[in-house]
Amino acid sequence: MKKLFAMCLVAFSALISVHLQAQEVETLVQIDTDMGKIKVKLFNDTPQHRDNFIKNVKEHRYDGLLFHRVIKQFMIQAGDINSKDAPMEQHLGDGDLDYTIPAEIVFPKYFHKRGMLCAARTGDDENPERASSATQFYIVTGKFFTEMELDKMEHEQGITLTPEQRQAYMLEGGTPHLDGKYTVFGEVIKGMKAVDKIQFIETNGEDRPVKNIKIKSMTIVNK
């Protein structure tokens, strides 16, 4: 009987281990753009953003939309549902679905280093809860910071950067002034060359590329 109990305990432990491993697997999404392919992973500890992004991908919500806002050494933004086939004179940036995603700001674990996938949102004045757009997202490009610049930022803003943040902002770059204010829900794992091609494209006065850069498709991939 004791032997049978031990065998059941081992089997139960194995099932729990498999379940936990399944939970830890991160969803991968490939973004095929006019400038190349970008592969991102979605974080499991921002589940509402993860699931909403997956839903949009499966519904082909992003196919044909533009990178409508591009700022060098800052970020590239897409997901305006009105941007598909939008003429150059059309103002973009307000197109969205009729709902928002509650903020899932997992800080300081996730911060705005280069390559992070984040949810766009309206400003604090009209959105103090910092709820995210249903469709619009941005990928951080950012810039490099010196140790002196980070020290000054800590002093002026009354914050303390973690050693991981400091190292990332000095060696990889990013946009630290956005930390703790926007939901970071994923990260580029392949294709930053394509992101850089997009960030250095010529833009107009509204930060829209003068030549349309389209998301051809997004797909869930296995690796």
Side-chain angles (χ1 to χ4, degrees):
M1 189 73 175
K2 290 182 179 178
K3 184 177 180 181
L4 180 61
F5 176 76
M7 289 175 65
C8 289
L9 186 61
V10 169
F12 181 68
S13 298
L15 282 172
I16 288 195
S17 177
V18 168
H19 179 66
L20 289 174
Q21 287 177 2
Q23 285 184 321
E24 290 170 0
V25 173
E26 292 169 315
T27 304
L28 304 181
V29 177
Q30 182 153 287
I31 307 170
D32 190 0
T33 80
D34 288 331
M35 292 291 190
K37 293 179 171 61
I38 305 165
K39 188 180 294 183
V40 300
K41 66 178 179 182
L42 308 180
F43 299 142
N44 289 330
D45 34 10
T46 51
Q48 294 182 78
H49 285 74
R50 175 201 62 201
D51 293 348
N52 182 71
F53 199 77
I54 290 171
K55 177 180 73 71
N56 286 338
V57 170
K58 288 184 175 179
E59 292 176 354
H60 303 282
R61 183 80 65 184
Y62 293 117
D63 296 4
L65 300 189
L66 304 178
F67 283 93
H68 65 273
R69 184 169 178 244
V70 173
I71 303 176
K72 297 178 182 66
Q73 296 187 314
F74 183 35
M75 57 91 225
I76 63 173
Q77 184 170 335
D80 182 332
I81 61 173
N82 297 327
S83 66
K84 188 173 183 178
D85 300 320
M88 193 55 64
E89 65 274 10
Q90 180 177 333
H91 170 75
L92 297 176
D94 299 324
D96 207 347
L97 300 179
D98 59 357
Y99 67 92
T100 56
I101 312 298
E104 294 179 298
I105 299 174
V106 186
F107 181 77
K109 181 178 181 180
Y110 300 136
F111 55 94
H112 282 75
K113 66 180 179 179
R114 172 177 163 84
M116 298 306 266
L117 174 68
C118 315
R121 64 174 178 84
T122 54
D124 287 357
D125 290 345
E126 58 182 297
N127 179 25
E129 299 84 10
R130 295 174 172 172
S132 301
S133 162
T135 59
Q136 292 198 38
F137 66 91
Y138 61 95
I139 297 173
V140 176
T141 54
K143 65 175 185 177
F144 295 102
F145 288 81
T146 66
E147 192 166 6
M148 187 178 297
E149 287 174 325
L150 295 178
D151 289 343
K152 182 180 178 183
M153 184 183 303
E154 286 185 322
H155 177 73
E156 291 179 348
Q157 298 182 19
I159 60 174
T160 300
L161 299 173
T162 67
E164 184 183 4
Q165 284 176 283
R166 293 183 73 90
Q167 183 177 27
Y169 289 136
M170 288 191 291
L171 301 181
E172 300 175 54
T175 56
H177 66 283
L178 298 182
D179 283 344
K181 301 173 183 176
Y182 293 76
T183 297
V184 179
F185 67 97
E187 182 176 9
V188 174
I189 59 172
K190 189 176 181 180
M192 280 305 292
K193 285 185 178 179
V195 173
D196 284 336
K197 285 181 181 178
I198 296 171
Q199 81 153 320
F200 290 119
I201 202 77
E202 183 183 356
T203 56
N204 64 19
E206 291 195 327
D207 300 315
R208 177 177 171 177
V210 297
K211 175 185 176 183
N212 285 341
I213 303 171
K214 186 181 298 184
I215 296 173
K216 296 179 180 178
S217 65
M218 281 199 200
T219 50
I220 309 291
V221 294
N222 294 323
K223 59 180 181 178

